[in-house]
PDB file of all heavy atoms in Angstrom:
ATOM      1  N   LYS A   1     -76.071 -14.633  33.890  1.00 61.00           N
ATOM      2  CA  LYS A   1     -76.751 -13.810  32.882  1.00 61.00           C
ATOM      3  C   LYS A   1     -78.092 -14.426  32.491  1.00 61.00           C
ATOM      4  O   LYS A   1     -79.081 -13.715  32.282  1.00 61.00           O
ATOM      5  CB  LYS A   1     -75.856 -13.631  31.651  1.00 61.00           C
ATOM      6  CG  LYS A   1     -74.692 -12.681  31.889  1.00 61.00           C
ATOM      7  CD  LYS A   1     -73.966 -12.362  30.593  1.00 61.00           C
ATOM      8  CE  LYS A   1     -72.899 -11.305  30.813  1.00 61.00           C
ATOM      9  NZ  LYS A   1     -72.196 -10.924  29.568  1.00 61.00           N
ATOM     10  N   SER A   2     -78.116 -15.757  32.394  1.00 63.00           N
ATOM     11  CA  SER A   2     -79.356 -16.440  32.054  1.00 63.00           C
ATOM     12  C   SER A   2     -80.404 -16.211  33.138  1.00 63.00           C
ATOM     13  O   SER A   2     -81.574 -15.930  32.856  1.00 63.00           O
ATOM     14  CB  SER A   2     -79.089 -17.937  31.888  1.00 63.00           C
ATOM     15  OG  SER A   2     -80.285 -18.641  31.661  1.00 63.00           O
ATOM     16  N   GLU A   3     -79.966 -16.314  34.405  1.00 59.00           N
ATOM     17  CA  GLU A   3     -80.879 -16.084  35.524  1.00 59.00           C
ATOM     18  C   GLU A   3     -81.327 -14.626  35.546  1.00 59.00           C
ATOM     19  O   GLU A   3     -82.477 -14.324  35.855  1.00 59.00           O
ATOM     20  CB  GLU A   3     -80.185 -16.436  36.841  1.00 59.00           C
ATOM     21  CG  GLU A   3     -81.095 -16.298  38.043  1.00 59.00           C
ATOM     22  CD  GLU A   3     -80.409 -16.646  39.354  1.00 59.00           C
ATOM     23  OE1 GLU A   3     -79.266 -17.132  39.304  1.00 59.00           O
ATOM     24  OE2 GLU A   3     -81.021 -16.414  40.408  1.00 59.00           O
ATOM     25  N   PHE A   4     -80.417 -13.718  35.181  1.00 58.00           N
ATOM     26  CA  PHE A   4     -80.733 -12.294  35.123  1.00 58.00           C
ATOM     27  C   PHE A   4     -81.850 -12.022  34.112  1.00 58.00           C
ATOM     28  O   PHE A   4     -82.827 -11.328  34.409  1.00 58.00           O
ATOM     29  CB  PHE A   4     -79.470 -11.502  34.755  1.00 58.00           C
ATOM     30  CG  PHE A   4     -79.733 -10.100  34.292  1.00 58.00           C
ATOM     31  CD1 PHE A   4     -80.149  -9.128  35.185  1.00 58.00           C
ATOM     32  CD2 PHE A   4     -79.565  -9.756  32.961  1.00 58.00           C
ATOM     33  CE1 PHE A   4     -80.388  -7.827  34.757  1.00 58.00           C
ATOM     34  CE2 PHE A   4     -79.804  -8.462  32.520  1.00 58.00           C
ATOM     35  CZ  PHE A   4     -80.208  -7.497  33.430  1.00 58.00           C
ATOM     36  N   VAL A   5     -81.715 -12.577  32.906  1.00 62.00           N
ATOM     37  CA  VAL A   5     -82.735 -12.387  31.865  1.00 62.00           C
ATOM     38  C   VAL A   5     -84.075 -12.939  32.329  1.00 62.00           C
ATOM     39  O   VAL A   5     -85.129 -12.315  32.165  1.00 62.00           O
ATOM     40  CB  VAL A   5     -82.305 -13.062  30.543  1.00 62.00           C
ATOM     41  CG1 VAL A   5     -83.450 -13.053  29.537  1.00 62.00           C
ATOM     42  CG2 VAL A   5     -81.086 -12.358  29.962  1.00 62.00           C
ATOM     43  N   SER A   6     -84.049 -14.124  32.943  1.00 61.00           N
ATOM     44  CA  SER A   6     -85.267 -14.746  33.452  1.00 61.00           C
ATOM     45  C   SER A   6     -85.911 -13.889  34.536  1.00 61.00           C
ATOM     46  O   SER A   6     -87.131 -13.681  34.547  1.00 61.00           O
ATOM     47  CB  SER A   6     -84.944 -16.137  33.998  1.00 61.00           C
ATOM     48  OG  SER A   6     -86.074 -16.719  34.591  1.00 61.00           O
ATOM     49  N   THR A   7     -85.079 -13.377  35.442  1.00 60.00           N
ATOM     50  CA  THR A   7     -85.581 -12.559  36.550  1.00 60.00           C
ATOM     51  C   THR A   7     -86.188 -11.263  36.040  1.00 60.00           C
ATOM     52  O   THR A   7     -87.271 -10.850  36.471  1.00 60.00           O
ATOM     53  CB  THR A   7     -84.443 -12.241  37.542  1.00 60.00           C
ATOM     54  OG1 THR A   7     -83.912 -13.456  38.054  1.00 60.00           O
ATOM     55  CG2 THR A   7     -84.948 -11.385  38.697  1.00 60.00           C
ATOM     56  N   VAL A   8     -85.488 -10.585  35.107  1.00 64.00           N
ATOM     57  CA  VAL A   8     -85.980  -9.320  34.574  1.00 64.00           C
ATOM     58  C   VAL A   8     -87.306  -9.519  33.838  1.00 64.00           C
ATOM     59  O   VAL A   8     -88.234  -8.714  33.972  1.00 64.00           O
ATOM     60  CB  VAL A   8     -84.939  -8.675  33.637  1.00 64.00           C
ATOM     61  CG1 VAL A   8     -85.545  -7.528  32.844  1.00 64.00           C
ATOM     62  CG2 VAL A   8     -83.747  -8.176  34.444  1.00 64.00           C
ATOM     63  N   THR A   9     -87.401 -10.602  33.084  1.00 67.00           N
ATOM     64  CA  THR A   9     -88.650 -10.901  32.379  1.00 67.00           C
ATOM     65  C   THR A   9     -89.791 -11.057  33.376  1.00 67.00           C
ATOM     66  O   THR A   9     -90.883 -10.504  33.192  1.00 67.00           O
ATOM     67  CB  THR A   9     -88.509 -12.197  31.553  1.00 67.00           C
ATOM     68  OG1 THR A   9     -87.427 -12.042  30.637  1.00 67.00           O
ATOM     69  CG2 THR A   9     -89.780 -12.487  30.781  1.00 67.00           C
ATOM     70  N   HIS A  10     -89.525 -11.791  34.453  1.00 61.00           N
ATOM     71  CA  HIS A  10     -90.540 -11.989  35.497  1.00 61.00           C
ATOM     72  C   HIS A  10     -90.875 -10.661  36.173  1.00 61.00           C
ATOM     73  O   HIS A  10     -92.046 -10.355  36.423  1.00 61.00           O
ATOM     74  CB  HIS A  10     -90.029 -12.991  36.529  1.00 61.00           C
ATOM     75  CG  HIS A  10     -90.938 -13.150  37.708  1.00 61.00           C
ATOM     76  ND1 HIS A  10     -92.134 -13.838  37.630  1.00 61.00           N
ATOM     77  CD2 HIS A  10     -90.835 -12.696  38.988  1.00 61.00           C
ATOM     78  CE1 HIS A  10     -92.731 -13.803  38.812  1.00 61.00           C
ATOM     79  NE2 HIS A  10     -91.958 -13.125  39.649  1.00 61.00           N
ATOM     80  N   GLU A  11     -89.843  -9.869  36.449  1.00 66.00           N
ATOM     81  CA  GLU A  11     -90.052  -8.590  37.127  1.00 66.00           C
ATOM     82  C   GLU A  11     -90.905  -7.636  36.292  1.00 66.00           C
ATOM     83  O   GLU A  11     -91.654  -6.822  36.833  1.00 66.00           O
ATOM     84  CB  GLU A  11     -88.702  -7.937  37.422  1.00 66.00           C
ATOM     85  CG  GLU A  11     -87.926  -8.587  38.539  1.00 66.00           C
ATOM     86  CD  GLU A  11     -88.420  -8.141  39.911  1.00 66.00           C
ATOM     87  OE1 GLU A  11     -88.185  -6.991  40.293  1.00 66.00           O
ATOM     88  OE2 GLU A  11     -89.049  -8.962  40.589  1.00 66.00           O
ATOM     89  N   LEU A  12     -90.779  -7.699  34.967  1.00 71.00           N
ATOM     90  CA  LEU A  12     -91.583  -6.852  34.088  1.00 71.00           C
ATOM     91  C   LEU A  12     -93.007  -7.384  33.953  1.00 71.00           C
ATOM     92  O   LEU A  12     -93.968  -6.609  33.910  1.00 71.00           O
ATOM     93  CB  LEU A  12     -90.929  -6.742  32.705  1.00 71.00           C
ATOM     94  CG  LEU A  12     -89.696  -5.847  32.605  1.00 71.00           C
ATOM     95  CD1 LEU A  12     -89.028  -6.025  31.256  1.00 71.00           C
ATOM     96  CD2 LEU A  12     -90.069  -4.383  32.818  1.00 71.00           C
ATOM     97  N   LYS A  13     -93.148  -8.704  33.870  1.00 72.00           N
ATOM     98  CA  LYS A  13     -94.468  -9.296  33.661  1.00 72.00           C
ATOM     99  C   LYS A  13     -95.367  -9.144  34.880  1.00 72.00           C
ATOM    100  O   LYS A  13     -96.583  -8.949  34.745  1.00 72.00           O
ATOM    101  CB  LYS A  13     -94.326 -10.780  33.313  1.00 72.00           C
ATOM    102  CG  LYS A  13     -93.814 -11.046  31.913  1.00 72.00           C
ATOM    103  CD  LYS A  13     -93.654 -12.518  31.644  1.00 72.00           C
ATOM    104  CE  LYS A  13     -94.996 -13.217  31.529  1.00 72.00           C
ATOM    105  NZ  LYS A  13     -94.839 -14.645  31.146  1.00 72.00           N
ATOM    106  N   THR A  14     -94.793  -9.210  36.085  1.00 70.00           N
ATOM    107  CA  THR A  14     -95.601  -9.144  37.299  1.00 70.00           C
ATOM    108  C   THR A  14     -96.353  -7.817  37.437  1.00 70.00           C
ATOM    109  O   THR A  14     -97.582  -7.825  37.586  1.00 70.00           O
ATOM    110  CB  THR A  14     -94.732  -9.401  38.545  1.00 70.00           C
ATOM    111  OG1 THR A  14     -94.135 -10.693  38.430  1.00 70.00           O
ATOM    112  CG2 THR A  14     -95.570  -9.353  39.813  1.00 70.00           C
ATOM    113  N   PRO A  15     -95.671  -6.650  37.366  1.00 75.00           N
ATOM    114  CA  PRO A  15     -96.430  -5.395  37.456  1.00 75.00           C
ATOM    115  C   PRO A  15     -97.360  -5.183  36.265  1.00 75.00           C
ATOM    116  O   PRO A  15     -98.445  -4.631  36.423  1.00 75.00           O
ATOM    117  CB  PRO A  15     -95.344  -4.313  37.509  1.00 75.00           C
ATOM    118  CG  PRO A  15     -94.113  -4.963  37.010  1.00 75.00           C
ATOM    119  CD  PRO A  15     -94.226  -6.408  37.339  1.00 75.00           C
ATOM    120  N   LEU A  16     -96.954  -5.638  35.080  1.00 80.00           N
ATOM    121  CA  LEU A  16     -97.813  -5.490  33.906  1.00 80.00           C
ATOM    122  C   LEU A  16     -99.128  -6.247  34.083  1.00 80.00           C
ATOM    123  O   LEU A  16    -100.206  -5.741  33.747  1.00 80.00           O
ATOM    124  CB  LEU A  16     -97.092  -5.982  32.641  1.00 80.00           C
ATOM    125  CG  LEU A  16     -96.154  -4.985  31.966  1.00 80.00           C
ATOM    126  CD1 LEU A  16     -95.387  -5.669  30.843  1.00 80.00           C
ATOM    127  CD2 LEU A  16     -96.948  -3.798  31.406  1.00 80.00           C
ATOM    128  N   SER A  17     -99.040  -7.466  34.616  1.00 80.00           N
ATOM    129  CA  SER A  17    -100.248  -8.276  34.840  1.00 80.00           C
ATOM    130  C   SER A  17    -101.170  -7.598  35.841  1.00 80.00           C
ATOM    131  O   SER A  17    -102.397  -7.547  35.639  1.00 80.00           O
ATOM    132  CB  SER A  17     -99.864  -9.670  35.348  1.00 80.00           C
ATOM    133  OG  SER A  17     -99.086 -10.359  34.398  1.00 80.00           O
ATOM    134  N   LEU A  18    -100.582  -7.057  36.916  1.00 80.00           N
ATOM    135  CA  LEU A  18    -101.382  -6.397  37.937  1.00 80.00           C
ATOM    136  C   LEU A  18    -102.015  -5.114  37.403  1.00 80.00           C
ATOM    137  O   LEU A  18    -103.187  -4.813  37.663  1.00 80.00           O
ATOM    138  CB  LEU A  18    -100.512  -6.093  39.154  1.00 80.00           C
ATOM    139  CG  LEU A  18    -101.221  -5.527  40.389  1.00 80.00           C
ATOM    140  CD1 LEU A  18    -102.378  -6.421  40.811  1.00 80.00           C
ATOM    141  CD2 LEU A  18    -100.240  -5.376  41.541  1.00 80.00           C
ATOM    142  N   MET A  19    -101.239  -4.358  36.612  1.00 82.00           N
ATOM    143  CA  MET A  19    -101.756  -3.126  36.018  1.00 82.00           C
ATOM    144  C   MET A  19    -102.903  -3.425  35.057  1.00 82.00           C
ATOM    145  O   MET A  19    -103.907  -2.699  35.027  1.00 82.00           O
ATOM    146  CB  MET A  19    -100.620  -2.383  35.299  1.00 82.00           C
ATOM    147  CG  MET A  19     -99.601  -1.765  36.251  1.00 82.00           C
ATOM    148  SD  MET A  19     -98.034  -1.341  35.463  1.00 82.00           S
ATOM    149  CE  MET A  19     -98.560  -0.043  34.348  1.00 82.00           C
ATOM    150  N   ARG A  20    -102.772  -4.500  34.295  1.00 85.00           N
ATOM    151  CA  ARG A  20    -103.841  -4.896  33.370  1.00 85.00           C
ATOM    152  C   ARG A  20    -105.109  -5.260  34.139  1.00 85.00           C
ATOM    153  O   ARG A  20    -106.220  -4.865  33.763  1.00 85.00           O
ATOM    154  CB  ARG A  20    -103.360  -6.089  32.523  1.00 85.00           C
ATOM    155  CG  ARG A  20    -104.410  -6.682  31.596  1.00 85.00           C
ATOM    156  CD  ARG A  20    -104.819  -5.702  30.499  1.00 85.00           C
ATOM    157  NE  ARG A  20    -105.832  -6.234  29.651  1.00 85.00           N
ATOM    158  CZ  ARG A  20    -105.577  -6.954  28.536  1.00 85.00           C
ATOM    159  NH1 ARG A  20    -104.317  -7.199  28.186  1.00 85.00           N
ATOM    160  NH2 ARG A  20    -106.558  -7.403  27.784  1.00 85.00           N
ATOM    161  N   LEU A  21    -104.937  -5.992  35.250  1.00 84.00           N
ATOM    162  CA  LEU A  21    -106.080  -6.401  36.067  1.00 84.00           C
ATOM    163  C   LEU A  21    -106.794  -5.186  36.657  1.00 84.00           C
ATOM    164  O   LEU A  21    -108.023  -5.091  36.617  1.00 84.00           O
ATOM    165  CB  LEU A  21    -105.601  -7.333  37.190  1.00 84.00           C
ATOM    166  CG  LEU A  21    -106.671  -7.840  38.165  1.00 84.00           C
ATOM    167  CD1 LEU A  21    -107.698  -8.688  37.434  1.00 84.00           C
ATOM    168  CD2 LEU A  21    -106.028  -8.642  39.290  1.00 84.00           C
ATOM    169  N   VAL A  22    -106.022  -4.252  37.215  1.00 84.00           N
ATOM    170  CA  VAL A  22    -106.606  -3.052  37.812  1.00 84.00           C
ATOM    171  C   VAL A  22    -107.296  -2.203  36.752  1.00 84.00           C
ATOM    172  O   VAL A  22    -108.413  -1.711  36.955  1.00 84.00           O
ATOM    173  CB  VAL A  22    -105.523  -2.227  38.546  1.00 84.00           C
ATOM    174  CG1 VAL A  22    -106.080  -0.876  38.992  1.00 84.00           C
ATOM    175  CG2 VAL A  22    -104.996  -2.996  39.742  1.00 84.00           C
ATOM    176  N   ALA A  23    -106.629  -2.034  35.605  1.00 86.00           N
ATOM    177  CA  ALA A  23    -107.213  -1.238  34.521  1.00 86.00           C
ATOM    178  C   ALA A  23    -108.520  -1.848  34.031  1.00 86.00           C
ATOM    179  O   ALA A  23    -109.517  -1.130  33.827  1.00 86.00           O
ATOM    180  CB  ALA A  23    -106.216  -1.124  33.366  1.00 86.00           C
ATOM    181  N   ASP A  24    -108.542  -3.161  33.855  1.00 85.00           N
ATOM    182  CA  ASP A  24    -109.771  -3.839  33.410  1.00 85.00           C
ATOM    183  C   ASP A  24    -110.884  -3.670  34.439  1.00 85.00           C
ATOM    184  O   ASP A  24    -112.060  -3.480  34.084  1.00 85.00           O
ATOM    185  CB  ASP A  24    -109.500  -5.331  33.180  1.00 85.00           C
ATOM    186  CG  ASP A  24    -108.707  -5.600  31.922  1.00 85.00           C
ATOM    187  OD1 ASP A  24    -108.569  -4.663  31.114  1.00 85.00           O
ATOM    188  OD2 ASP A  24    -108.216  -6.732  31.752  1.00 85.00           O
ATOM    189  N   THR A  25    -110.530  -3.738  35.725  1.00 85.00           N
ATOM    190  CA  THR A  25    -111.525  -3.573  36.794  1.00 85.00           C
ATOM    191  C   THR A  25    -112.146  -2.182  36.744  1.00 85.00           C
ATOM    192  O   THR A  25    -113.366  -2.014  36.889  1.00 85.00           O
ATOM    193  CB  THR A  25    -110.865  -3.799  38.174  1.00 85.00           C
ATOM    194  OG1 THR A  25    -110.344  -5.129  38.225  1.00 85.00           O
ATOM    195  CG2 THR A  25    -111.871  -3.619  39.298  1.00 85.00           C
ATOM    196  N   LEU A  26    -111.297  -1.162  36.521  1.00 86.00           N
ATOM    197  CA  LEU A  26    -111.794   0.209  36.457  1.00 86.00           C
ATOM    198  C   LEU A  26    -112.633   0.451  35.206  1.00 86.00           C
ATOM    199  O   LEU A  26    -113.691   1.084  35.270  1.00 86.00           O
ATOM    200  CB  LEU A  26    -110.614   1.189  36.495  1.00 86.00           C
ATOM    201  CG  LEU A  26    -109.845   1.270  37.824  1.00 86.00           C
ATOM    202  CD1 LEU A  26    -108.597   2.125  37.665  1.00 86.00           C
ATOM    203  CD2 LEU A  26    -110.731   1.839  38.928  1.00 86.00           C
ATOM    204  N   VAL A  27    -112.166  -0.070  34.066  1.00 86.00           N
ATOM    205  CA  VAL A  27    -112.872   0.150  32.798  1.00 86.00           C
ATOM    206  C   VAL A  27    -114.252  -0.503  32.806  1.00 86.00           C
ATOM    207  O   VAL A  27    -115.243   0.072  32.331  1.00 86.00           O
ATOM    208  CB  VAL A  27    -112.032  -0.380  31.609  1.00 86.00           C
ATOM    209  CG1 VAL A  27    -112.856  -0.447  30.339  1.00 86.00           C
ATOM    210  CG2 VAL A  27    -110.824   0.523  31.382  1.00 86.00           C
ATOM    211  N   THR A  28    -114.339  -1.708  33.352  1.00 86.00           N
ATOM    212  CA  THR A  28    -115.612  -2.444  33.339  1.00 86.00           C
ATOM    213  C   THR A  28    -116.499  -2.124  34.536  1.00 86.00           C
ATOM    214  O   THR A  28    -117.640  -2.589  34.620  1.00 86.00           O
ATOM    215  CB  THR A  28    -115.347  -3.968  33.322  1.00 86.00           C
ATOM    216  OG1 THR A  28    -114.551  -4.316  34.461  1.00 86.00           O
ATOM    217  CG2 THR A  28    -114.616  -4.367  32.041  1.00 86.00           C
ATOM    218  N   GLY A  29    -115.971  -1.316  35.487  1.00 85.00           N
ATOM    219  CA  GLY A  29    -116.767  -0.944  36.655  1.00 85.00           C
ATOM    220  C   GLY A  29    -116.958  -2.065  37.652  1.00 85.00           C
ATOM    221  O   GLY A  29    -117.930  -2.063  38.417  1.00 85.00           O
ATOM    222  N   ARG A  30    -116.036  -3.026  37.666  1.00 81.00           N
ATOM    223  CA  ARG A  30    -116.173  -4.171  38.569  1.00 81.00           C
ATOM    224  C   ARG A  30    -115.577  -3.857  39.950  1.00 81.00           C
ATOM    225  O   ARG A  30    -114.706  -4.543  40.452  1.00 81.00           O
ATOM    226  CB  ARG A  30    -115.477  -5.405  37.982  1.00 81.00           C
ATOM    227  CG  ARG A  30    -116.094  -5.931  36.702  1.00 81.00           C
ATOM    228  CD  ARG A  30    -115.626  -7.374  36.419  1.00 81.00           C
ATOM    229  NE  ARG A  30    -114.201  -7.547  36.513  1.00 81.00           N
ATOM    230  CZ  ARG A  30    -113.358  -7.434  35.486  1.00 81.00           C
ATOM    231  NH1 ARG A  30    -113.825  -7.130  34.288  1.00 81.00           N
ATOM    232  NH2 ARG A  30    -112.066  -7.627  35.649  1.00 81.00           N
ATOM    233  N   TYR A  31    -116.027  -2.788  40.560  1.00 80.00           N
ATOM    234  CA  TYR A  31    -115.598  -2.472  41.918  1.00 80.00           C
ATOM    235  C   TYR A  31    -116.838  -2.122  42.735  1.00 80.00           C
ATOM    236  O   TYR A  31    -117.862  -1.686  42.211  1.00 80.00           O
ATOM    237  CB  TYR A  31    -114.590  -1.314  41.943  1.00 80.00           C
ATOM    238  CG  TYR A  31    -114.985  -0.118  41.111  1.00 80.00           C
ATOM    239  CD1 TYR A  31    -115.772   0.900  41.651  1.00 80.00           C
ATOM    240  CD2 TYR A  31    -114.568  -0.008  39.783  1.00 80.00           C
ATOM    241  CE1 TYR A  31    -116.132   1.997  40.884  1.00 80.00           C
ATOM    242  CE2 TYR A  31    -114.933   1.082  39.017  1.00 80.00           C
ATOM    243  CZ  TYR A  31    -115.706   2.088  39.574  1.00 80.00           C
ATOM    244  OH  TYR A  31    -116.073   3.173  38.810  1.00 80.00           O
ATOM    245  N   LYS A  32    -116.772  -2.343  44.042  1.00 78.00           N
ATOM    246  CA  LYS A  32    -117.955  -2.245  44.898  1.00 78.00           C
ATOM    247  C   LYS A  32    -118.444  -0.819  45.084  1.00 78.00           C
ATOM    248  O   LYS A  32    -119.647  -0.567  45.114  1.00 78.00           O
ATOM    249  CB  LYS A  32    -117.658  -2.883  46.260  1.00 78.00           C
ATOM    250  CG  LYS A  32    -117.413  -4.391  46.186  1.00 78.00           C
ATOM    251  CD  LYS A  32    -117.112  -4.972  47.554  1.00 78.00           C
ATOM    252  CE  LYS A  32    -116.870  -6.473  47.460  1.00 78.00           C
ATOM    253  NZ  LYS A  32    -116.539  -7.071  48.781  1.00 78.00           N
ATOM    254  N   ASN A  33    -117.519   0.133  45.242  1.00 82.00           N
ATOM    255  CA  ASN A  33    -117.944   1.523  45.414  1.00 82.00           C
ATOM    256  C   ASN A  33    -116.845   2.467  44.939  1.00 82.00           C
ATOM    257  O   ASN A  33    -115.696   2.061  44.727  1.00 82.00           O
ATOM    258  CB  ASN A  33    -118.296   1.813  46.883  1.00 82.00           C
ATOM    259  CG  ASN A  33    -117.168   1.422  47.832  1.00 82.00           C
ATOM    260  OD1 ASN A  33    -116.079   1.974  47.753  1.00 82.00           O
ATOM    261  ND2 ASN A  33    -117.432   0.459  48.726  1.00 82.00           N
ATOM    262  N   ALA A  34    -117.214   3.734  44.779  1.00 85.00           N
ATOM    263  CA  ALA A  34    -116.292   4.737  44.232  1.00 85.00           C
ATOM    264  C   ALA A  34    -115.100   4.987  45.144  1.00 85.00           C
ATOM    265  O   ALA A  34    -114.056   5.471  44.692  1.00 85.00           O
ATOM    266  CB  ALA A  34    -117.040   6.035  43.985  1.00 85.00           C
ATOM    267  N   GLU A  35    -115.231   4.649  46.432  1.00 82.00           N
ATOM    268  CA  GLU A  35    -114.126   4.866  47.368  1.00 82.00           C
ATOM    269  C   GLU A  35    -112.933   3.971  47.052  1.00 82.00           C
ATOM    270  O   GLU A  35    -111.817   4.225  47.513  1.00 82.00           O
ATOM    271  CB  GLU A  35    -114.601   4.597  48.801  1.00 82.00           C
ATOM    272  CG  GLU A  35    -115.638   5.607  49.294  1.00 82.00           C
ATOM    273  CD  GLU A  35    -116.169   5.259  50.668  1.00 82.00           C
ATOM    274  OE1 GLU A  35    -115.688   4.266  51.252  1.00 82.00           O
ATOM    275  OE2 GLU A  35    -117.050   5.986  51.154  1.00 82.00           O
ATOM    276  N   LYS A  36    -113.174   2.910  46.297  1.00 82.00           N
ATOM    277  CA  LYS A  36    -112.095   1.986  45.920  1.00 82.00           C
ATOM    278  C   LYS A  36    -111.198   2.570  44.826  1.00 82.00           C
ATOM    279  O   LYS A  36    -110.060   2.137  44.651  1.00 82.00           O
ATOM    280  CB  LYS A  36    -112.684   0.661  45.437  1.00 82.00           C
ATOM    281  CG  LYS A  36    -113.213  -0.238  46.545  1.00 82.00           C
ATOM    282  CD  LYS A  36    -112.056  -0.837  47.339  1.00 82.00           C
ATOM    283  CE  LYS A  36    -112.550  -1.758  48.439  1.00 82.00           C
ATOM    284  NZ  LYS A  36    -111.437  -2.264  49.246  1.00 82.00           N
ATOM    285  N   ILE A  37    -111.727   3.533  44.075  1.00 86.00           N
ATOM    286  CA  ILE A  37    -110.969   4.068  42.932  1.00 86.00           C
ATOM    287  C   ILE A  37    -109.616   4.655  43.343  1.00 86.00           C
ATOM    288  O   ILE A  37    -108.593   4.350  42.710  1.00 86.00           O
ATOM    289  CB  ILE A  37    -111.821   5.102  42.155  1.00 86.00           C
ATOM    290  CG1 ILE A  37    -113.026   4.394  41.524  1.00 86.00           C
ATOM    291  CG2 ILE A  37    -110.978   5.795  41.079  1.00 86.00           C
ATOM    292  CD1 ILE A  37    -113.976   5.317  40.797  1.00 86.00           C
ATOM    293  N   PRO A  38    -109.522   5.482  44.409  1.00 85.00           N
ATOM    294  CA  PRO A  38    -108.195   5.975  44.821  1.00 85.00           C
ATOM    295  C   PRO A  38    -107.234   4.851  45.195  1.00 85.00           C
ATOM    296  O   PRO A  38    -106.021   4.960  44.955  1.00 85.00           O
ATOM    297  CB  PRO A  38    -108.515   6.858  46.037  1.00 85.00           C
ATOM    298  CG  PRO A  38    -109.920   7.283  45.845  1.00 85.00           C
ATOM    299  CD  PRO A  38    -110.601   6.106  45.206  1.00 85.00           C
ATOM    300  N   GLU A  39    -107.762   3.763  45.789  1.00 82.00           N
ATOM    301  CA  GLU A  39    -106.905   2.623  46.132  1.00 82.00           C
ATOM    302  C   GLU A  39    -106.314   1.992  44.881  1.00 82.00           C
ATOM    303  O   GLU A  39    -105.126   1.648  44.844  1.00 82.00           O
ATOM    304  CB  GLU A  39    -107.713   1.576  46.913  1.00 82.00           C
ATOM    305  CG  GLU A  39    -108.118   2.015  48.309  1.00 82.00           C
ATOM    306  CD  GLU A  39    -108.865   0.910  49.044  1.00 82.00           C
ATOM    307  OE1 GLU A  39    -108.639  -0.274  48.721  1.00 82.00           O
ATOM    308  OE2 GLU A  39    -109.678   1.239  49.923  1.00 82.00           O
TER     309      GLU A  39
END
């Protein structure tokens, strides 16, 4: 159960961190061209 809680916490934090990074990149316009937006 302890490992389960640790794993779930990690599993939630990983996509959240990536989503935050992508969102910040889009909001600040830190991408090379508009073709990257669909990616």
Side-chain angles (χ1 to χ4, degrees):
K1 287 189 174 182
S2 175
E3 183 180 352
F4 164 71
V5 171
S6 175
T7 300
V8 168
T9 302
H10 174 74
E11 287 280 289
L12 285 170
K13 286 178 71 175
T14 301
L16 277 173
S17 298
L18 186 54
M19 289 162 66
R20 175 66 182 271
L21 179 63
V22 172
D24 286 348
T25 299
L26 291 172
V27 167
T28 57
R30 295 197 311 268
Y31 47 88
K32 294 179 180 179
N33 53 63
E35 293 176 3
K36 284 288 181 183
I37 295 177
E39 291 182 26

